[in-house]
Amino acid sequence: MVRVYTFNDEGELLQEEKDTINQLAKMPMDMLNYNAISVVTNIYRVAQGLKNKMEREVLSKQGLSWTSFSILYDLWIWNSVETKKLAELTAVSKATISNITKTLEKKELVYRKTDTRDRRITYVIITNKGKEVMEDLYPKFHQGEIEIASMLTEKEQKNISKLLRRMIRQNDF
Amino acid sequence: MVRVYTFNDEGELLQEEKDTINQLAKMPMDMLNYNAISVVTNIYRVAQGLKNKMEREVLSKQGLSWTSFSILYDLWIWNSVETKKLAELTAVSKATISNITKTLEKKELVYRKTDTRDRRITYVIITNKGKEVMEDLYPKFHQGEIEIASMLTEKEQKNISKLLRRMIRQNDF
DNA sequence: GTATTATCGTTTCATAGCTAACAGTTTTGA
DNA sequence: TCAAAACTGTTAGCTATGAAACGATAATAC
C-alpha cells in the first residue's frame, strides 16, 4: 500500500512535511493544494489496500494475481479474446499479457489459438478448468467488494462512484 | 489500468456480464451488489490511471517508479529512515525495500549505513543528488495531483477524501 | 507484382514485488 | 552464562510489468 504523504488523524498533512516542502522545494505552503494531495493519496491507498486484500484473502487460494484474475474474468465473460484486445481491456502492455497468458497456460486455465485467416492474431481461450476456478473465486471476490464498500452508505457509494467516473472520463483514465 | 468489469456510459454493468455471472457463478442478479462493484472498480481504475500518468509524465524524467519516488520522498522529509520503517511506511515487503534501495543506491540518490549500537538495523539516507532530484520532481508531481483532482470542485474533493479516509480506517488499509 | 510499411505477438532485459530461506545480531530465560 | 528464541536485512526464486528489438504476417503503394 504505497503512499507518499503522512497524514494525521484528521487527514491533515504533518506540519513537519509542510515545512520541508516549503524549504526544500521552494514551494510556499500557500502554493500547496492540500485537497488535491488528499484526494490523490487516499484514492491510491484504498486501491492498494483492496488489491492486497483480494490477493491475500481470495485470489491466493488459486495462486492468481489481480491482473491474472482480471484477464481470466474477461475470458470467463467473453470465452475467447485476442491478445491485443486483452491488452486494451486491462490497459497493460502486450508484453505483460504475453507473460500472464503464459502463466495461465501453464496452470491450464487458458490456451492459445492462432487465427487461421490472419495468422498474426492469437486468441486466448478459457478452459473448463479455468471456468471452474472462476466459479469458485468470483462469489468470494464479490463478497470482498461488498465488504470493502460497506463502510459507505448506499447513497455515499453512488456519490463516490459518480465522482470517480467523472475523474476517469475527464482525465482519460 | 487493470479493471475487471465492463461498464457502459452510464456506469452500468453490461447485461451480457450480468447474464454470465448469473449463469456461470450461479449468482442470481439480485444477489449482485452493483454499487459495491462500481465503487471498487472505479477506485482501482483512477488509482492506476494516476499512477501511470505520474510515472509517464513526471517520474520518467528521472527514471523513477511510483514506489521509488515514495521512498525517496520519505527520505527527503525525514532524511534518514530505517529499512524496517520504510517497509511499514510504504507497506511493501522488506524484500522490495531492499531491492528498491539497491536501485536508488546505484543511482547515487541514497546510501546505507549500519547502526553502530544495534548492528541488525540499517539506515537509508538521502544524498544531495537525491535531494536535487526531489527538488526537481516534487513541484511537477504536485502539479499532476492538482490536475487530476481539478475535475472535482473543492467541496467534492473534501467530500471524497472524507469517504476514502473512512474506508481506509474501517478496512484497516 | 514486388518492395515498403504497418500490424501483431513474443522475446529480451531491466526493475518491482512477494514468500521463504538464510545469516548475522541481539534478547531472553533458566 | 550460554543456548534458544526473536529480530533485521539480504538473497534466491518466482511472477508481474514495461520499453525496445525482433520475426512473422498482412496491407499498401507505386
Side-chain angles (χ1 to χ4, degrees):
Chain A
M1 186 193 326
V2 175
R3 131 277 59 153
V4 173
Y5 303 94
T6 307
F7 293 106
N8 65 19
D9 292 340
E10 283 76 38
E12 293 255 320
L13 205 58
L14 300 187
Q15 185 59 42
E16 198 156 355
E17 290 203 36
K18 293 184 186 177
D19 291 345
T20 302
I21 293 168
N22 183 339
Q23 288 161 32
L24 294 186
K26 285 109 185 162
M27 293 177 75
M29 290 188 300
D30 58 11
M31 270 188 55
L32 290 175
N33 183 332
Y34 297 115
N35 290 323
I37 288 176
S38 188
V39 169
V40 165
T41 304
N42 288 316
I43 286 175
Y44 199 81
R45 198 179 309 195
V46 173
Q48 284 301 306
L50 71 89
K51 172 173 181 283
N52 289 344
K53 178 190 169 78
M54 292 300 200
E55 289 188 339
R56 196 176 55 240
E57 297 179 8
V58 179
L59 307 182
S60 67
K61 284 180 175 45
Q62 300 279 356
L64 293 181
S65 66
W66 177 276
T67 309
S68 306
F69 176 77
S70 302
I71 290 173
L72 199 58
Y73 175 87
D74 284 337
L75 295 172
W76 191 47
I77 300 296
W78 307 109
N79 197 65
S80 164
V81 181
E82 308 96 288
T83 296
K84 181 180 158 58
K85 185 77 179 171
L86 279 179
E88 286 165 9
L89 282 173
T90 51
V92 295
S93 72
K94 52 189 184 166
T96 298
I97 296 291
S98 199
N99 281 326
I100 292 186
T101 303
K102 204 186 294 172
T103 305
L104 289 174
E105 205 169 25
K106 218 188 303 174
K107 291 178 194 285
E108 302 182 329
L109 305 182
V110 309
Y111 65 97
R112 288 172 163 90
K113 190 166 169 19
T114 303
D115 188 306
T116 45
R117 299 191 216 166
D118 186 341
R119 308 206 298 136
R120 289 172 303 185
I121 297 173
T122 300
Y123 293 96
V124 184
I125 302 159
I126 191 168
T127 63
N128 284 332
K129 191 173 168 192
K131 289 177 188 171
E132 285 166 18
V133 166
M134 283 304 300
E135 283 163 32
D136 173 38
L137 285 187
Y138 184 77
K140 300 183 179 79
F141 182 87
H142 185 52
Q143 197 52 45
E145 293 178 312
I146 292 174
E147 269 177 50
I148 289 165
S150 72
M151 307 311 167
L152 307 180
T153 66
E154 197 180 323
K155 191 179 165 197
E156 288 169 336
Q157 289 175 7
K158 285 181 194 293
N159 186 240
I160 199 171
S161 293
K162 191 188 70 183
L163 298 179
L164 291 165
R165 277 204 301 277
R166 197 199 304 157
M167 292 180 79
I168 290 167
R169 196 169 352 105
Q170 296 186 10
N171 279 301
D172 203 26
F173 288 157
Chain B
M1 188 192 323
V2 175
R3 129 280 58 154
V4 173
Y5 303 93
T6 307
F7 293 107
N8 65 18
D9 292 340
E10 282 76 41
E12 293 256 319
L13 204 58
L14 300 187
Q15 185 58 42
E16 198 156 356
E17 289 203 38
K18 292 184 184 175
D19 292 343
T20 302
I21 294 168
N22 184 338
Q23 289 161 32
L24 295 186
K26 285 107 186 165
M27 292 178 77
M29 290 189 302
D30 59 10
M31 270 187 58
L32 290 175
N33 183 331
Y34 297 115
N35 290 322
I37 288 177
S38 188
V39 169
V40 165
T41 304
N42 289 315
I43 287 175
Y44 198 81
R45 199 179 307 196
V46 173
Q48 285 301 308
L50 72 88
K51 173 174 180 282
N52 289 345
K53 180 189 167 81
M54 291 301 199
E55 290 187 339
R56 196 177 54 240
E57 296 179 6
V58 179
L59 306 181
S60 66
K61 285 181 175 44
Q62 299 281 354
L64 293 181
S65 66
W66 177 278
T67 309
S68 306
F69 177 77
S70 302
I71 291 173
L72 199 58
Y73 176 87
D74 285 337
L75 294 172
W76 190 46
I77 300 297
W78 308 108
N79 197 63
S80 163
V81 181
E82 308 98 287
T83 295
K84 180 180 158 56
K85 185 77 179 169
L86 279 179
E88 287 165 8
L89 281 173
T90 50
V92 294
S93 71
K94 52 188 185 165
T96 297
I97 296 291
S98 200
N99 281 328
I100 292 187
T101 304
K102 203 186 295 171
T103 305
L104 289 174
E105 204 169 26
K106 218 186 305 174
K107 291 178 195 282
E108 301 183 328
L109 305 182
V110 309
Y111 65 96
R112 288 171 162 90
K113 192 167 170 15
T114 303
D115 189 306
T116 45
R117 299 191 214 164
D118 185 342
R119 308 206 298 138
R120 289 173 302 186
I121 297 173
T122 300
Y123 292 97
V124 184
I125 303 159
I126 191 168
T127 63
N128 284 332
K129 191 173 167 193
K131 289 177 188 169
E132 285 165 18
V133 166
M134 284 304 301
E135 284 163 32
D136 173 39
L137 285 186
Y138 184 77
K140 301 183 178 77
F141 182 87
H142 185 51
Q143 196 53 45
E145 293 178 312
I146 291 174
E147 269 177 50
I148 289 165
S150 71
M151 308 311 168
L152 307 180
T153 66
E154 197 180 325
K155 192 179 165 198
E156 287 169 338
Q157 289 175 8
K158 284 182 196 294
N159 186 242
I160 200 171
S161 293
K162 192 190 71 186
L163 299 179
L164 291 165
R165 277 204 301 277
R166 196 197 305 154
M167 292 180 79
I168 290 167
R169 196 170 350 106
Q170 295 186 12
N171 279 301
D172 205 26
F173 288 156

